[in-house]
Amino acid sequence: MRYPSVSLHRQSNILLIRSFMLLFLSCVTIRIKLCFSSIPYTLKALPLDGHFNFDEVHLSAKDFGNRYQFLPVAVLHPKSVSDIATTIEHIWQMGPHSELTVAARGHGHSLQGQSQAHGGIVINMQSLRGPYMQVYPGNSPYVDVSGGELWINILHESLKFGLAPKSWTDYLHLTVGGTLSNAGISGQAFRHGPQISNVHQLEVVTGKGEVVTCSEKQNSDLFHGVLGGLGQFGIITRARILLEPAPDMVKWIRVLYSDFSTFARDQEKLISAAENTFDYIEGFVIINRTGLLNNWRSSFNPQDPVQASQFKSDGRTLFCLELAKYFHLDETDVVNQVRHALAHHQGRFPKEIENYMSQLSYITSTLFLSEVTYIEFLDRVHVSEVILRSKGLWEVPHPWLNLFIPKSKIQDFADEVFGKILKETSNGPILIYPVNKSKWNNRTSAVIPEEDIFYLVAFLTSAVPSSTGTDGLEHILTQNKKILEFCETAHLGVKQYLPHYTTQEEWRAHYGPRWEVFVKRKSAYDPLAVLAPGQRIFHKAITFS
């Protein structure tokens, strides 16, 4: 007869436990809500030269990739470096009880939400008014610039002194802090290395809110960590960039190959030459493109117009070698020869260039040449941007995939990807060109293959919104997945550039033996994991006490 009382006792215990859990969860929820509701007030009280915006935050939840949208709680528009330091120090002092994180946003050209901070603070780096850009000419010229400055503005300002940075990206409407947090590469990298190899000094705000000046000799661990560090150790607020005498004009050349091994051999020959051959060396892949050479005629002149008109690109996989040679207007002999060649379509090169070209094994009927100003050459991608914006095709999803591939594996990669995985014209360029590892500083955080020469292969595709065909987002993502799966199963030793992973295990594999150094730097400079949450490498640990 005692069983009913035991049952009632159990039911009472269950009800008591349930009530306790509900009360606990309610308290946690209320605490979280109170924390979030108090956040704007604590931020509003900070002494700043700039200001916070708590309402118009939607633009900071978008980026060039157009695939992820994470709303921040506020956007900081700093007018000084102290605004950034004050804000981060405030979050640091709040400790692990706060969920606030911070992301630096330059021109918003991240691809996978890396410059976003869900429920955190996004810093609009282009609002940073100081330090003002200042060029220092002399025997070792350099320019001091804000981390939020655009490279195109640095080009225009340094050219007033007859100078320019040595290393570029293909697109110049990016911020200094953004490219230096990754690497910054283009066709000049084979000679000068990436942009992170051409920096004298940085000013950085760490995850503790400390403003630190660093260089090769001063706070060198932070200096090397921040360069290529994906924003994990500090926000770049100032950079000292190396400059060199700027050319006036550029001789711009394109030729085609039908055989990949010949194409790759010529590229490697050019970047390994003891003498200075060309100043810029890139390449790209063309798959089944109709009327290719006719499309080039709007910007280039064929060496042999008759042969060029008879060349057919339909149904073929071709490889374009793109070269540039810089020169000055006072080099009258060079200029006169080039202009004569262009005017008479005789394809006569300056002797120096003619010697280089004679060593290459391209399809002779596909040689196209052009002469443009230095600014026109460097800012060439912006022309395409203007056209795409006018057609409403710029702000679309960009599921880009950028890979570094060892030289010894590039043929295997090309055999599988070009013509097997990729069979149709891509909706965007496919870049492919080699660089020299010796031009990269292995103390930085940038991750590259181990071989002396490795290739950048960049699938810069755009997805047509709402399309379910080969130009749609899902199809492109499936292709990217197939490419990555092949690289893994074939053990190619590939490293992602502008990497994107979702688990720490994947990040650990990406960094390999350098992972321990990366974690150690994170613990030293951003121990609460406040900075760059959009990279998804580290997650801020929240405690409730």
Side-chain angles (χ1 to χ4, degrees):
M1 296 298 295
R2 300 176 65 180
Y3 293 113
S5 63
V6 172
S7 177
L8 287 172
H9 183 66
R10 282 179 179 173
Q11 289 179 5
S12 297
N13 286 342
I14 291 171
L15 286 172
L16 184 63
I17 292 171
R18 285 179 177 175
S19 300
F20 176 77
M21 289 302 296
L22 286 171
L23 180 63
F24 173 77
L25 291 172
S26 298
C27 290
V28 170
T29 303
I30 291 169
R31 179 168 185 147
I32 290 172
K33 288 182 177 179
L34 286 172
C35 286
F36 272 110
S37 63
S38 65
I39 284 171
Y41 296 104
T42 63
L43 296 178
K44 286 177 181 177
L46 294 177
L48 304 176
D49 300 314
H51 68 280
F52 280 103
N53 192 321
F54 300 97
D55 301 316
E56 298 174 1
V57 298
H58 289 81
L59 284 178
S60 294
K62 291 183 64 178
D63 60 18
F64 182 68
N66 264 304
R67 293 177 54 209
Y68 297 88
Q69 292 191 10
F70 301 111
L71 283 172
V73 71
V75 177
L76 173 63
H77 298 270
K79 286 188 178 179
S80 64
V81 174
S82 66
D83 285 354
I84 298 173
T86 298
T87 300
I88 296 177
E89 184 183 14
H90 174 69
I91 296 171
W92 162 253
Q93 290 176 346
M94 291 173 74
H97 302 294
S98 167
E99 290 187 330
L100 281 180
T101 55
V102 175
R105 186 181 195 272
H107 211 201
H109 268 257
S110 61
L111 298 169
Q112 318 264 8
Q114 289 94 333
S115 61
Q116 300 176 29
H118 188 211
I121 297 170
V122 171
I123 300 178
N124 180 359
M125 294 301 293
Q126 289 190 267
S127 296
L128 187 61
R129 299 292 177 85
Y132 293 101
M133 194 184 328
Q134 189 166 357
V135 175
Y136 295 86
N139 293 331
S140 301
Y142 62 87
V143 58
D144 279 341
V145 297
S146 161
E149 192 63 78
L150 296 179
W151 285 97
I152 183 66
N153 295 336
I154 298 173
L155 173 62
H156 285 297
E157 183 64 23
S158 59
L159 282 177
K160 295 176 183 177
F161 298 83
L163 301 167
K166 297 179 177 182
S167 189
W168 297 97
T169 51
D170 287 329
Y171 179 67
L172 303 190
H173 297 252
L174 304 171
T175 59
V176 169
T179 65
L180 295 184
S181 295
N182 289 282
I185 54 176
S186 183
Q188 303 87 4
F190 78 96
R191 176 172 298 159
H192 298 295
Q195 290 178 322
I196 58 173
S197 294
N198 293 275
V199 183
H200 263 319
Q201 188 184 84
L202 297 172
E203 179 186 77
V204 174
V205 179
T206 71
K208 301 176 184 178
E210 300 167 333
V211 181
V212 182
T213 299
C214 53
S215 65
E216 288 274 2
K217 297 181 179 179
Q218 179 183 10
N219 299 308
S220 61
D221 185 66
L222 179 61
F223 178 72
H224 294 126
V226 168
L227 293 173
L230 306 179
Q232 293 302 302
F233 314 120
I235 294 175
I236 298 171
T237 53
R238 179 180 60 81
R240 181 165 291 178
I241 310 295
L242 294 171
L243 302 176
E244 66 177 357
D248 299 304
M249 304 293 292
V250 176
K251 183 63 181 172
W252 191 3
I253 301 165
R254 283 181 179 175
V255 291
L256 289 177
Y257 294 74
S258 58
D259 177 66
F260 180 80
S261 60
T262 306
F263 165 74
R265 185 175 63 248
D266 277 0
Q267 281 193 315
E268 292 166 16
K269 181 191 301 181
L270 289 171
I271 73 161
S272 303
E275 74 277 8
N276 289 337
T277 53
F278 292 93
D279 299 289
Y280 161 100
I281 298 171
E282 284 197 12
F284 50 94
V285 185
I286 304 131
I287 302 175
N288 192 20
R289 182 83 64 173
T290 302
L292 173 66
L293 297 190
N294 283 333
N295 294 335
W296 286 3
R297 289 176 184 266
S298 60
S299 303
F300 292 81
N301 292 299
Q303 181 196 39
D304 189 321
V306 175
Q307 286 192 34
S309 64
Q310 296 172 353
F311 182 83
K312 302 297 180 185
S313 59
D314 310 38
R316 304 175 68 179
T317 297
L318 298 166
F319 307 94
C320 176
L321 175 60
E322 186 171 60
L323 308 167
K325 185 68 177 175
Y326 304 158
F327 59 89
H328 299 274
L329 286 175
D330 58 359
E331 297 172 4
T332 53
D333 290 341
V334 172
V335 174
N336 288 336
Q337 288 184 56
V338 171
R339 286 178 175 164
H340 180 79
L342 290 173
H344 298 282
H345 299 295
Q346 293 175 354
R348 287 180 57 196
F349 288 110
K351 195 164 188 177
E352 178 186 24
I353 297 178
E354 189 176 344
N355 289 337
Y356 300 148
M357 297 303 295
S358 66
Q359 301 172 34
L360 305 179
S361 302
Y362 56 89
I363 302 170
T364 55
S365 62
T366 66
L367 192 153
F368 274 64
L369 48 151
S370 181
E371 180 190 325
V372 295
T373 66
Y374 186 53
I375 292 180
E376 286 175 328
F377 176 73
L378 291 180
D379 203 27
R380 60 198 179 279
V381 177
H382 183 57
V383 176
S384 299
E385 176 189 357
V386 172
I387 295 171
L388 290 171
R389 283 190 182 277
S390 68
K391 297 179 179 179
L393 297 176
W394 184 255
E395 295 185 0
V396 298
H398 295 97
W400 287 8
L401 178 63
N402 297 269
L403 305 173
F404 289 142
I405 302 175
K407 168 189 168 182
S408 66
K409 303 295 184 180
I410 193 64
Q411 185 69 53
D412 294 340
F413 180 88
D415 290 343
E416 179 66 22
V417 174
F418 306 133
K420 291 184 181 179
I421 295 177
L422 301 182
K423 299 177 182 178
E424 297 296 331
T425 301
S426 62
N427 198 28
I430 304 173
L431 305 183
I432 180 167
Y433 57 90
V435 292
N436 293 307
K437 184 186 177 186
S438 62
K439 302 298 181 180
W440 294 62
N441 188 331
N442 61 10
R443 289 173 291 177
T444 69
S445 294
V447 179
I448 58 177
E450 291 299 320
E451 295 186 9
D452 291 341
I453 292 177
F454 60 91
Y455 279 76
L456 169 71
V457 182
F459 301 89
L460 310 182
T461 48
S462 300
V464 176
S466 303
S467 172
T468 57
T470 58
D471 56 2
L473 179 60
E474 290 306 315
H475 178 81
I476 297 169
L477 290 175
T478 299
Q479 282 189 159
N480 289 351
K481 184 180 179 182
K482 288 180 180 178
I483 292 169
L484 289 172
E485 287 176 347
F486 166 71
C487 291
E488 185 173 352
T489 56
H491 305 290
L492 300 188
V494 168
K495 294 295 182 181
Q496 283 193 35
Y497 176 56
L498 309 179
H500 170 69
Y501 299 104
T502 56
T503 68
Q504 197 169 88
E505 289 72 24
E506 290 173 315
W507 282 109
R508 186 189 297 269
H510 174 73
Y511 282 98
R514 304 177 65 185
W515 173 249
E516 289 185 10
V517 173
F518 198 81
V519 172
K520 185 178 178 181
R521 284 172 171 168
K522 187 68 171 179
S523 298
Y525 305 116
D526 183 25
L528 291 183
V530 170
L531 301 176
Q535 296 285 0
R536 303 174 184 86
I537 305 175
F538 302 97
H539 301 281
K540 191 174 184 182
I542 312 299
T543 61
F544 298 99
S545 59

